Amino acid sequence: MDLGIRGKRALVCASSKGLGRGCAEALAEAGVDLVLNARGSEALEAAAADIRAKWQVGVVTVAADITTDEGRARVLDAAQGVDILVTNAGGPPPGMWHDWSRDDFIKALDANMLTPIALMQALMPAMMERGWGRVVNITSQSVKAPIGQLGLSNTARTGLTGFVAGTARQVAEKGITINNLLPGIHDTDRAVSLDSGVVKAEGISMEEARKRRAAGIPARRYGTAAEFGAACAFLCSMHAGFIVGQNILLDGGATNATI
Ligand code: NAP
């Protein structure tokens, strides 16, 4: 399917690896020029070189922490006028509800709620002027079904979801769609880090931890960054203009709910 977005420009945050990288690859395959971001420049430059060679699109890189004012300012400098925004950042650490301090909450809110909101506020006005834009926020399955030990994530991402629900309906008449993609477990470094926690807590091997987690998913496997990226690219496509303010689960059926 031709996604109809060849020649458009996208900012994909936190995209040297994992789900962000999957989104960047799928947009590049559709002919979209990219601004890529991550903190570490080595993996970022390697990803950019790979994508340029594979898809022959323009790729600009900004090595910066997207969750800081200074990092975001540098990314926004390079991303002025983009047609597509994919927000993403690392997820907060696991823990217990009684241990988190105010500072822990502020950090999680900054990374997973206030950063994507600030990026939308900065980039959507120009999209509205041009009458077309796409925003996809990478959130989490934990928005629909809380994951106890990821309370910081549950909290911050639910706040973002509320913002999107209202805002998406305010900007839709200008040709802009905002939607959230909710990953369940996907085969990325984040999954390795979550599974390492299980290995440590339960004294089992990594293989066993993965097997147990996969057994709880109807698809009986982890998702891939490529599958995730393809869903993102579709939401950014010309065909997705009537999908507004939705929260789309990509979790292999793990969330046991009728709707
Ligand atoms: P990942 O494999 O750990 O990849 C993270 C990517 O983001 C890397 O390129 C990393 O590069 C970059 N990054 C992290 N923090 C950043 C920051 N502050 N500023 C700029 N770049 C940053 O993670 P992932 O699995 O793709 O997950 C993406 C998001 O989805 C996370 O918020 C995660 O919590 C959420 N999620 C993931 C899963 C899953 O199973 N994978 C499930 C539910 C939710 P640098 O380290 O060099 O910055």
Side-chain angles (χ1 to χ4, degrees):
M1 182 192 289
D2 178 2
L3 297 184
I5 49 177
R6 184 165 296 280
K8 299 231 179 254
R9 278 181 74 229
L11 166 60
V12 187
C13 302
S15 52
S16 64
K17 300 178 188 167
L19 303 182
R21 171 77 182 264
C23 296
E25 294 274 353
L27 287 168
E29 185 176 1
V32 174
D33 295 320
L34 299 172
V35 179
L36 297 187
N37 152 257
R39 291 163 304 181
S41 61
E42 202 177 312
L44 181 63
E45 293 309 329
D50 221 38
I51 289 173
R52 283 186 202 107
K54 218 186 306 174
W55 308 114
Q56 286 84 49
V57 293
V59 183
V60 170
T61 56
V62 187
D65 185 337
I66 196 68
T67 69
T68 64
D69 289 344
E70 186 271 333
R72 214 162 34 248
R74 288 201 291 119
V75 171
L76 284 171
D77 251 6
Q80 281 312 313
V82 291
D83 309 285
I84 295 168
L85 165 64
V86 180
T87 77
N88 185 28
M96 282 300 284
W97 60 271
H98 41 74
D99 293 334
W100 293 313
S101 66
R102 185 172 194 280
D103 282 352
D104 294 327
F105 279 104
I106 298 291
K107 210 167 155 202
L109 292 171
D110 259 340
N112 300 113
M113 176 181 148
L114 298 175
T115 289
I117 290 174
L119 290 165
M120 283 184 259
Q121 287 174 325
L123 295 174
M124 287 199 312
M127 295 179 193
M128 290 167 80
E129 270 173 34
R130 290 193 302 274
W132 196 91
R134 297 282 185 264
V135 178
V136 174
N137 300 295
I138 300 180
T139 68
S140 174
Q141 172 190 5
S142 69
V143 171
K144 287 243 183 188
I147 301 171
Q149 70 276 20
L150 291 180
L152 292 172
S153 170
N154 301 340
T155 306
R157 297 186 199 277
T158 305
L160 173 63
T161 305
F163 174 83
V164 167
T167 307
R169 290 163 173 90
Q170 288 176 291
V171 300
E173 67 178 346
K174 301 286 186 191
I176 299 182
T177 68
I178 315 176
N179 293 288
N180 302 322
L181 277 180
L182 284 54
I185 195 74
H186 280 70
D187 220 343
T188 68
D189 289 356
R190 170 79 170 169
V192 173
S193 132
L194 292 173
D195 286 340
S196 300
V198 176
V199 165
K200 212 167 139 197
E202 309 207 3
I204 56 175
S205 69
M206 187 61 129
E207 197 190 348
E208 183 58 24
R210 283 178 62 97
K211 220 164 102 188
R212 283 190 198 174
R213 199 190 285 277
I217 302 169
R220 304 282 181 256
R221 65 174 177 88
Y222 288 24
T224 69
E227 290 170 314
F228 190 89
C232 174
F234 180 77
L235 283 180
C236 295
S237 76
M238 288 295 179
H239 312 295
F242 210 49
I243 305 177
V244 170
Q246 298 303 300
N247 291 282
I248 298 167
L249 264 174
L250 296 175
D251 70 346
T255 304
N256 193 26
T258 304
I259 294 179

